[in-house]
Amino acid sequence: MSARLPTTTDFPPQLHLTIIPPSPTSLRPSNVLIFLHGLGDTSEPFTKFGKQLKLPETVCISLQAPTPLPFDLGGFHWGDGITFNQATGQMDLDGGFKKAIRMIKLDVIEQTIIKKCGYRCREVVVFGLGQGGMAAIATALSIHEELGGVISVGGPLPQSHSLKYGASTPLLLLGSSSNTAITHTALERLRLAFTCVEDHTWQRSGDCMPMDYNEMLPIMAFFARRLRSRQGVPEGSIEVG
């Protein structure tokens, strides 16, 4: 089955997502890049980010978390529930990810991107911010095959997720030098879970999206290594190896 561009009607109707076609749009996508936003956000910022990237042969899907925050706070979250950090009084990023994993793994990746649209796991990359990064990592560890990669900005492996060793999916981990969720302990735990972990530390406070060209370089280099291209490959050719 030849891979095709996904449409919103391919996905379960309860999912809120935006599809950003590749640039130029005449090219058939060879990759799928899934965006998972941070705690309390929506799919809109990553929709804009996907349009700005203009990645060739790559369709971007900005997926919105299924559950709205309580107390009319606005925004959505990926957790099974809401918990609060007793020390800080802030919402804990790790609220369990069973519902999110089921949605991302089954509804989005396996049942739609792979089964309906004809892609393989190796052609799927998941990019998450904060709590979205945690959901991306937990999902990758729940899929037995190698994904194209996971990029997590400020999102460690959830403590609520059981540690599995030696996943083959490459992981790019990005965090800040202070006020970050990517602690030494979190990094060591990820190095046990994944066989290939590349980490970069930004010299600033707080885990947020890259702010300049230099901070984007590791992400673009990861895309260059992991996103596939079929330009110049005859239609119907079979990949070997």
Side-chain angles (χ1 to χ4, degrees):
M1 177 180 179
S2 180
R4 63 169 175 84
L5 181 69
T7 66
T8 53
T9 56
D10 290 319
F11 296 87
Q14 71 273 18
L15 299 187
H16 183 100
L17 54 85
T18 305
I19 298 174
I20 304 102
S23 178
T25 55
S26 59
L27 292 177
R28 179 169 59 84
S30 299
N31 312 279
V32 179
L33 175 58
I34 302 171
F35 293 123
L36 308 177
H37 62 77
L39 174 65
D41 211 338
T42 69
S43 59
E44 184 59 29
F46 265 130
T47 297
K48 294 178 180 177
F49 182 68
K51 291 177 180 177
Q52 292 169 348
L53 282 176
K54 297 181 180 178
L55 294 171
E57 296 185 69
T58 302
V59 55
C60 298
I61 299 174
S62 183
L63 183 64
Q64 189 161 285
T67 310
L69 289 178
F71 316 124
D72 295 324
L73 292 173
F76 296 79
H77 71 94
W78 298 100
D80 296 329
I82 291 287
T83 59
F84 289 87
N85 187 306
Q86 294 182 350
T88 65
Q90 296 180 338
M91 280 184 283
D92 195 336
L93 292 179
D94 190 354
F97 291 90
K98 290 181 180 178
K99 289 191 298 185
I101 292 170
R102 185 166 58 249
M103 183 179 79
I104 301 164
K105 176 187 174 182
L106 295 178
D107 295 341
V108 176
I109 296 178
E110 293 182 350
Q111 294 298 321
T112 304
I113 291 174
I114 293 176
K115 187 175 181 180
K116 288 186 179 180
C117 299
Y119 292 89
R120 294 178 293 175
C121 276
R122 173 59 183 81
E123 296 163 338
V124 178
V125 175
V126 188
F127 186 137
L129 169 64
Q131 192 186 48
M134 298 171 79
I137 287 170
T139 299
L141 292 176
S142 302
I143 296 175
H144 299 304
E145 293 184 54
E146 177 185 334
L147 293 173
V150 170
I151 300 172
S152 177
V153 178
L157 172 62
Q159 290 290 337
S160 60
H161 193 79
S162 58
L163 180 60
K164 298 180 180 179
Y165 296 90
S168 59
T169 296
L171 170 65
L172 173 62
L173 188 66
L174 303 139
S176 298
S177 55
S178 63
N179 191 24
T180 179
I182 309 301
T183 62
H184 176 75
T185 301
L187 180 57
E188 289 304 307
R189 195 161 179 257
L190 283 165
R191 291 194 184 281
L192 292 175
F194 292 86
T195 57
C196 180
V197 178
E198 177 186 350
D199 67 286
H200 290 267
T201 301
W202 296 323
Q203 297 305 309
R204 55 178 166 87
S205 176
D207 296 322
C208 60
M209 289 293 285
M211 302 175 68
D212 57 34
Y213 173 79
N214 287 329
E215 291 186 354
M216 271 299 297
L217 277 178
I219 297 173
M220 298 309 294
F222 189 83
F223 286 152
R225 292 194 305 271
R226 299 301 298 176
L227 296 180
R228 292 186 163 182
S229 174
R230 291 186 59 84
Q231 290 191 58
V233 178
E235 189 70 29
S237 296
I238 299 174
E239 181 178 347
V240 178

